[in-house]
Amino acid sequence: MIVDDRLFVEERLPAVAVAPPLAWQVLVIDDEPDVHQLTRMVLRGLRFDGLGIEVISGYTGKDACAIMAQTTGIAVLLLDVVMETDQAGLEVVRYIREELKNGFVRIILRTGQAGQAPEPEVISQYDINDYREKTELTSQKLITAVTTALRAYRDLRTIENLALNLKKERESLKRAQAVAHFGNWEWECNTNRIVFSDEMLAIGGLDRPSSSSELSIFLNCIHPEDRVRVGHVVSGMTVLGGERSDLECRIVRPNGEVRMVHLVCENHPGDAPGTCYVLGTVHDITSTREVEDRLKIVTSVFGGAMEEVHEHMRIATKVLENAIEGVVVTDAKGIIQSVNPAFVRITGHEAVEVIGNPLRSLHGTHTDQDLRDSLWKSLMEDGVWRGEVWNRKKNGEAYPQWETIIVIRDRAGQVANFISIFHDLTEIRASQKELHFKTYHDTLTGLPNRDLFVDRLNQAVVNAQRNNGKVLVIFLGLDYFKKINNSLGHKLGDQLLKDVSTRLRTFIREGDTLSRLAGDSFGFIMREIHNTKDAVFVAQKIGNALAEPFIIDEHKLFLTASTGITLFPDDGQEGSTLINNADMALNRAKVTGRDTCTFYKATMGEQANQRLKMEKNMRQGLERGEFVLFYQPKVSLVTGRVVGMEALVRWRQPDAGMVSPGEFIPVAEETGLILPLGEWILRTACQQNRIWRDAGFDRLRMAVNLSVRQFRQRDLFDRVRLILQETGLPPPLLELEITESMVMDNVESVIVTLTRLRSLGLFIAVDDFGTGYSSLSYLKRFPIHTLKIDQSFVRDLTLDSDDAAIINAIIAMAKSLKLNVVAEGVETEEQLNFLRLEGCDEMQGYFFGKPMSAEEFTDLLKSGRRLKDS
Ligand code: C2E
Ligand code: CA
Ligand code: CA
């Protein structure tokens, strides 16, 4: 038997939530409860940058201060200026800006009436984003105001992050330099403050200067003859805005010792706009120069006294032996004569392997002809060349090196030797490259991050504009990923994301981009797309690729994904518009039932309004009695008799006809309307069952669905008890259905709630079982009576052996826990036969009966119809 792991996940992996922010936090402070409700309603559908809105409520200025002090991530504050409860709104604003020093949160003031608007000085002093009269804040305007504020907040945060990244980048560069024994300093142009690294102090022979040192401290170390030149380069960086320049100069230590250094200056933007840093990297090349000089002397004194030559040779050799730079000496034809130990260490070539070969043989193909020409020219004209070249190590690996080549001439002025002195730049380069990579990629999957995605999209749009091309943007969100993450642990979740990204990568062709946008969402930019049909085809193919189960640590995981699609130029002209569109479409796909692919439509902006309209209609509908209950029979697979029914709500809208619960229940859930509606459903279902009982059908159990929100109601127990009392239905004739996902949330309190409900004498069923990754050990602890196998497994039962195996496992497990098993959505005789063979207790589905009105159900009962074949 293949056992699906979803059913047998033990508790060994605790769910530690270190989730990134999931929504923008908007704090609403107002003393009128209505305002909160209204705001919540309006902002519910709003999405910005791929995230939804979380509304936090407070009723007094004190609340505002306390919440702001405790919560760092609040993006927008909607603040009532005049409240009856306590301090004026402006006092709150002052507290936030001045005492909490929170300059990020965007503040929108709401004034009661005209004339309460704050003074312009106050607005600018406290950086107030917006103020509106309450009556003026219609839903559209509120959405606009909040979106504008969110944009400002995000930009502020982005700037802060950018500054932080730059700071980090500078730090790592400095670390890399320290490793390579490079000194550095950092000069803040606008304050003139300079900071030296320890290596820099060592090179300059300096003590650590006081904290308020200025650039002049560095310039004073420079040899007087070089000082003007250096000063020019450093200050020139800030004035001319150059990014990088380098030179060689001398540093004079306090004890008079002169060091030759190679100085590289780089210009980095500062944290605040208009400021900058100059970073100086200082490499002590005295020993290199000494080698050069000594060798020059050696050759120049070739005709001199032999003793002197020997002495110089001895010193030169010693320096060569110990230099950290690689040194190669060639003859006039460029044939290698000798190399030093550092050469061997850096390149991996042994001395014997290279001596006798041309120096050129070490240079890889990386050295191009232009470079060779210019190198040769400066060697012949100036006797020296310096620059960066790529060389090859023995193992074939190419690496960048900083190389100095000098020409040694004999007394007759003929070239006698070339000496190449070099050091390996790989480490520094690598750390710079890594930094760059990290800034633009997601560390877990190695995919481009959102920033890079946005960049690439803008680029793709520009290119497409030029070539009249199309750009397809697909956002893909993994359904229920958070649940997997929470129930199976973050380590497994991470692995799953990696595996998903590996599969998604296969869809990427050259020039396309795949990016991880956020926790469980990915983005594609594709260019070779010609029409919407292709686009949908691609999106579906991608979705299907994830349908194959993922196997991780012996877990077999089934994933589905929702996708949102948008196309340039059809749906938008700009990168940002396309991103918003794709986001909206993805959101829509998730709302309309996941595992779907949705194309962006221009009408989506109206979505929020439509929701509002639906809510209003539902409220009216509830008053006008437009809701009715239908009942779907549940049949025993043993006796073939009807043993109960499930109450399913229907909405008969006078002008729109029947609206399906799949459409309105989610809205009711979001708006809270589910509470009165759910109460009505429960009462009506109990009343109806009481009627049937009185008519002699006295063993039918009525199943009623409880929504998440209802289930979390604090007084649920009292409400249910009251309804049972009022209707006089014996509690064992009632069964409450809750979904698997509801049970998985906050297990301890769920156990308490269920145990209390159970104590009334009613029964509890777990609905849609098999979709929610619950674990056997959890289930054991719940006082439940029935498992309802989700329709999705029953549907493909006869086609898909996996589904058959899952059903088999669920039934086996349920039996071991002595639970009643109901199969939902049974439509065919084959399904029925399979389920019966497996030992399923009851079934519900179109095969026996669709949901029907109370009258029809009564007729069914009276007819005494039984399941065929039993
Ligand atoms: P559910 O609780 O899983 O209800 C079963 C759904 O499957 C019902 O859809 C039912 O009509 C449908 N169904 C039953 N047998 C078959 C079959 O053989 N084939 C197919 N294809 N479908 C079958 P319905 O009534 O549209 O309800 C959809 C969902 O809306 C329900 O799923 C439930 O989550 C929610 N809902 C419905 N009524 C209520 C209610 O009174 N209260 C609450 N809280 N939710 C409700
Ligand atoms: Ca149900
Ligand atoms: Ca169900």
Side-chain angles (χ1 to χ4, degrees), residues 632 646 649-650 661 681 705 767-768 791 824-825 827 845-846 851:
Q632 187 176 29
E646 177 176 2
V649 67
R650 297 289 178 261
I681 292 170
N705 293 288
D767 202 0
D768 302 345
Q791 313 198 0
E824 267 189 304
E827 293 183 0
Y846 296 171

Side-chain angles (χ1 to χ4, degrees), residues 608-824:
N609 284 338
Q610 273 172 2
R611 296 218 128 190
L612 280 177
K613 214 165 103 194
M614 178 180 272
E615 188 189 353
K616 197 172 127 238
N617 287 345
M618 270 171 76
R619 234 178 251 287
Q620 277 177 359
L622 203 57
E623 284 162 15
R624 297 180 186 162
E626 289 169 13
F627 289 91
V628 283
L629 285 190
F630 270 31
Y631 303 92
Q632 187 176 29
K634 281 194 288 179
V635 184
S636 160
L637 282 173
V638 182
T639 63
R641 284 180 192 284
V642 175
V643 289
M645 67 293 284
E646 177 176 2
L648 293 159
V649 67
R650 297 289 178 261
W651 182 15
R652 282 205 190 101
Q653 254 198 307
D655 32 327
M658 220 42 137
V659 189
S660 104
E663 254 175 83
F664 68 82
I665 294 276
V667 179
E669 181 75 51
E670 279 179 29
T671 54
L673 262 181
I674 194 73
L675 297 180
L677 179 64
E679 177 130 355
W680 175 84
I681 292 170
L682 186 61
R683 179 172 294 110
T684 312
C686 289
Q687 263 162 4
Q688 182 59 51
N689 206 21
R690 170 73 206 254
I691 293 173
W692 281 321
R693 190 188 92 114
D694 292 348
F697 306 108
D698 54 2
R699 293 178 170 215
L700 301 174
R701 188 170 296 148
M702 171 71 76
V704 178
N705 293 288
L706 276 194
S707 83
V708 182
R709 199 115 162 204
Q710 260 180 304
F711 188 60
R712 294 213 185 114
Q713 254 179 317
R714 232 175 279 152
D715 54 354
L716 175 68
F717 173 82
D718 293 324
R719 284 172 189 273
V720 174
R721 195 189 44 183
L722 212 68
I723 288 177
L724 283 169
Q725 257 171 25
E726 275 172 26
T727 57
L729 183 73
L733 298 190
L734 176 65
E735 183 165 64
L736 296 177
E737 290 193 4
I738 54 177
T739 63
E740 190 183 1
S741 46
M742 282 151 73
V743 204
M744 292 301 292
D745 258 19
N746 203 350
V747 175
E748 296 311 322
S749 83
V750 168
I751 292 179
V752 173
T753 311
L754 290 183
T755 311
R756 291 192 72 202
L757 286 173
R758 183 78 187 85
S759 72
L760 288 172
L762 49 75
F763 291 96
I764 289 156
V766 175
D767 202 0
D768 302 345
F769 189 78
T771 56
Y773 300 96
S774 29
S775 76
L776 179 61
S777 54
Y778 275 176
L779 274 187
K780 265 195 273 193
R781 300 166 59 199
F782 296 117
I784 52 177
H785 177 256
T786 302
L787 283 191
K788 292 185 85 171
I789 303 176
D790 190 64
Q791 313 198 0
S792 56
F793 301 111
V794 177
R795 191 187 310 133
D796 299 333
L797 172 62
T798 45
L799 306 172
D800 186 339
S801 61
D802 272 347
D803 284 343
I806 291 171
I807 292 193
N808 178 306
I810 295 178
I811 294 177
M813 184 190 77
K815 294 276 136 162
S816 78
L817 292 176
K818 307 210 163 39
L819 297 176
N820 186 40
V821 194
V822 182
E824 267 189 304

